[in-house]
Amino acid sequence: MSTRRTRPSTSDAPPTTGESASTARPSPAWAVLLSEVFQAPVVLAVLLVVIPWTAHGTSTALLWGVAAALSVCGVSLATVTVLSRRGVLTDHHVSVKEHRRPVMVGTFLLVAAFLAVTLAFDGPVEITGLLTATLAASAVVALVSPWWKISVHGMMMGGTAVILPVAWGPWGLLFVPVAVAVCVSRHVLRAHTWPQLVAGSGYGVFFLGGIYALIAG
């Protein structure tokens, strides 16, 4: 009796999963570059450092941003990287949706802890806004991931496309084409379907951007 091999879903597997080495197409370099450079922890780390500093122009604001970036983004990215290298996770983008809940719960706890510190010691309001928005994103991904792989890249791009104009005015709109290109790169790499990207981006625009605007705008 023959057995039928089931091909993994392209939305839950790395770009070449299910294809033989001889037939798999190499991933476009531009898509890989955008996907790596604009992954959520990296973008959030940059926002945490740059936005408070440009808003206040003080060394104190800069130190708050660096501390937040290292405590939240640095720890989470390092942990995911180590786990992926040990084979606990498929890759540092956490491509398998079932693996995302524990990762996002850990991120939620890190963000909540530093947010508490920021509030207790009267840190920059921009950091409060960014971390509160990140809490919302972490909660949604943790809840949805076991059933559907909503795009975290999309969330971060949508949120950033609102956060930067709120923080910097019209100059922030220059990021919008970058956000679109990053989302396209995730689809080109077959990491997400268009509905996953649209849902993630929409949530980022209306909720992450909205939360930041309410708190720090």
Side-chain angles (χ1 to χ4, degrees):
M1 181 176 67
S2 63
T3 58
R4 181 181 179 183
R5 296 179 61 187
T6 302
R7 181 174 178 173
S9 168
T10 56
S11 62
D12 294 333
T16 57
T17 299
E19 293 182 288
S20 66
S22 61
T23 60
R25 291 184 179 180
S27 300
W30 67 268
V32 174
L33 179 63
L34 285 177
S35 185
E36 294 298 326
V37 171
F38 291 96
Q39 56 184 296
V42 175
V43 175
L44 179 60
V46 173
L47 293 177
L48 286 168
V49 173
V50 173
I51 289 184
W53 183 52
T54 55
H56 302 281
T58 64
S59 57
T60 300
L62 181 61
L63 287 173
W64 267 105
V66 171
L70 291 175
S71 300
V72 174
C73 307
V75 172
S76 61
L77 186 57
T79 301
V80 168
T81 300
V82 170
L83 291 176
S84 63
R85 288 181 177 177
R86 292 183 176 180
V88 178
L89 301 174
T90 54
D91 60 279
H92 62 286
H93 291 303
V94 196
S95 296
V96 176
K97 65 179 184 293
E98 290 82 4
H99 293 171
R100 289 188 157 200
R101 174 172 282 181
V103 171
M104 297 314 298
V105 168
T107 300
F108 184 93
L109 294 175
L110 282 173
V111 174
F114 200 90
L115 178 58
V117 171
T118 305
L119 293 172
F121 292 93
D122 196 25
V125 68
E126 294 80 12
I127 292 179
T128 299
L130 287 168
L131 294 183
T132 303
T134 303
L135 276 182
S138 302
V140 167
V141 175
L143 291 171
V144 173
S145 287
W147 299 278
W148 200 54
K149 189 185 166 190
I150 192 169
S151 174
V152 175
H153 275 78
M155 278 189 185
M156 197 71 235
M157 291 301 98
T160 304
V162 174
I163 290 168
L164 289 182
V166 170
W168 295 345
W171 286 107
L173 294 172
L174 293 175
F175 185 79
V176 173
V178 177
V180 173
V182 172
C183 290
V184 171
S185 77
R186 298 300 287 162
H187 187 263
V188 168
L189 294 174
R190 296 193 298 159
H192 288 288
T193 63
W194 282 121
Q196 292 166 349
L197 286 161
V198 170
S201 300
Y203 184 85
V205 167
F206 292 106
F207 288 90
L208 306 194
I211 289 171
Y212 181 84
L214 286 174
I215 294 175

